[in-house]
Amino acid sequence: MRAIFIVLLCGLPATVFAHYAPSGWEYPSSCCSSLDCREVGQTAISERPQGYTVEATGEVVPYNDKRLRISPDGEYHWCSAGGKDYGKTICLFVPPRAY
């Protein structure tokens, strides 16, 4: 019986599952494979003339970069490859800019 169940599971198509930010909104599947995204503190991201800098990696995400998104909850959220602290940025959610 167990072998039949395993065979059946192997035949199912792969599905990408998104996951949720602590405040309850869902990270888009284009940014996340259920482990890439997480909320980060305000000191983890800094704003520079060139764009947003991810302090953990030194990577700069320019203001016009398609990976940059407005954060629905006003907090910073960083999606990096494999959810690693040293991973390349997939998406960066930033608070809306004040006028």
Side-chain angles (χ1 to χ4, degrees):
M1 181 76 157
R2 177 186 255 174
I4 293 170
F5 181 71
I6 291 171
V7 169
L8 289 174
L9 281 177
C10 291
L12 295 176
T15 304
V16 176
F17 295 100
H19 66 109
Y20 293 87
S23 62
W25 60 276
E26 187 174 14
Y27 294 114
S29 60
S30 60
C31 293
C32 178
S33 62
S34 76
L35 58 90
D36 300 316
C37 300
R38 66 230 174 255
E39 185 175 328
V40 294
Q42 291 183 346
T43 59
I45 308 295
S46 61
E47 195 170 351
R48 306 271 191 249
Q50 304 85 351
Y52 291 93
T53 300
V54 178
E55 296 298 330
T57 63
E59 182 180 10
V60 176
V61 180
Y63 293 115
N64 62 351
D65 195 301
K66 64 182 179 181
R67 298 173 295 167
L68 200 59
R69 314 278 176 98
I70 299 299
S71 173
D73 63 4
E75 302 294 333
Y76 288 100
H77 298 263
W78 182 39
C79 306
S80 62
K84 307 278 191 219
D85 289 336
Y86 53 82
K88 182 172 174 51
T89 298
I90 300 169
C91 292
L92 180 62
F93 293 87
V94 299
R97 298 182 87 178
Y99 292 89

